[in-house]
Amino acid sequence: MSDLLHNFGIDWKLLIAQAVNFFILLYILKRYAYAPVVKMLNERHRKIKKGLHDSAEAEKRLKDASEKGRDIVKAAEAKALDEIGRAEETAREREAELIEAAHRKADSVLQSARKAAEGERERASEEMEGAAKDLVLLATAKVLGKMEPSERDAHLVGEALKELRVAAKHL
């Protein structure tokens, strides 16, 4: 075998030395170059994978938040419509109360006006009665020859005025 190695020009001592050097270099490269590079690549791969997972998770959360936001907006719109409906109903009730109060006030003013008119009519009637009494007394005095009316004449005039009042009320 040594002839064969010699024919090929291989020195076995040199071959062994080169093999030892190769394995030493292989060990050094594996330990200080390849292992840190592989570790760095694995770490980077893990970070990328985690980033993709986190991105998907964030997208899912964003979608959930968007759906919740839409639900909240819908609920707020429904609540707002409900509040508007209640406000309109309250406004209608308040309007009815105000109209009722206005009607009561108008009735009160009308009652007061009727009472005032009745009082004015009674006062005018009394004034007219007094004037009519004086007129009847004057007319009676002229008819009787300018004498003073007696008590009997005053009583007759009073009775006539009572009948006149009754007749005036029926008009």
Side-chain angles (χ1 to χ4, degrees), residues 5-169:
L5 289 176
H6 186 35
N7 284 340
F8 281 114
I10 297 175
D11 185 11
W12 65 274
K13 292 178 188 176
L14 186 59
L15 181 65
I16 292 176
Q18 285 181 348
V20 169
N21 283 338
F22 175 76
F23 286 115
I24 291 173
L25 184 63
L26 182 65
Y27 174 77
I28 291 173
L29 286 176
K30 184 176 180 190
R31 172 123 177 145
Y32 297 107
Y34 182 73
V37 169
V38 168
K39 183 179 176 184
M40 180 187 67
L41 288 175
N42 286 339
E43 183 67 23
R44 183 175 171 129
H45 178 68
R46 188 188 62 75
K47 284 182 181 178
I48 290 171
K49 193 173 183 180
K50 184 180 183 300
L52 289 174
H53 180 266
D54 291 347
S55 173
E57 185 70 25
E59 193 173 311
K60 182 181 176 190
R61 286 184 190 168
L62 180 63
K63 184 178 177 183
D64 291 344
S66 177
E67 288 175 8
K68 285 181 183 179
R70 275 183 259 147
D71 292 343
I72 289 170
V73 167
K74 285 180 184 178
E77 286 175 350
K79 186 175 180 181
L81 289 175
D82 186 44
E83 289 291 327
I84 289 170
R86 282 198 302 244
E88 287 175 348
E89 187 171 326
T90 302
R92 282 191 292 273
E93 290 172 1
R94 182 71 178 137
E95 178 185 25
E97 289 173 4
L98 289 173
I99 289 171
E100 182 64 30
H103 283 278
R104 284 194 303 268
K105 182 75 174 174
D107 289 344
S108 173
V109 169
L110 188 59
Q111 290 282 347
S112 297
R114 283 182 183 158
K115 286 180 183 178
E118 184 67 30
E120 187 64 28
R121 194 169 91 199
E122 286 179 15
R123 190 183 62 75
S125 177
E126 288 172 4
E127 286 178 8
M128 186 173 73
E129 187 177 309
K133 186 177 182 181
D134 290 342
L135 184 60
V136 169
L137 287 174
L138 286 174
T140 305
K142 277 190 176 189
V143 168
L144 295 176
K146 295 188 181 182
M147 299 174 157
E148 281 205 34
S150 66
E151 177 126 356
R152 192 173 131 219
D153 290 340
H155 180 65
L156 287 174
V157 169
E159 290 292 321
L161 286 176
K162 283 182 187 176
E163 288 183 29
L164 186 61
R165 262 191 240 134
V166 169
K169 284 186 180 178

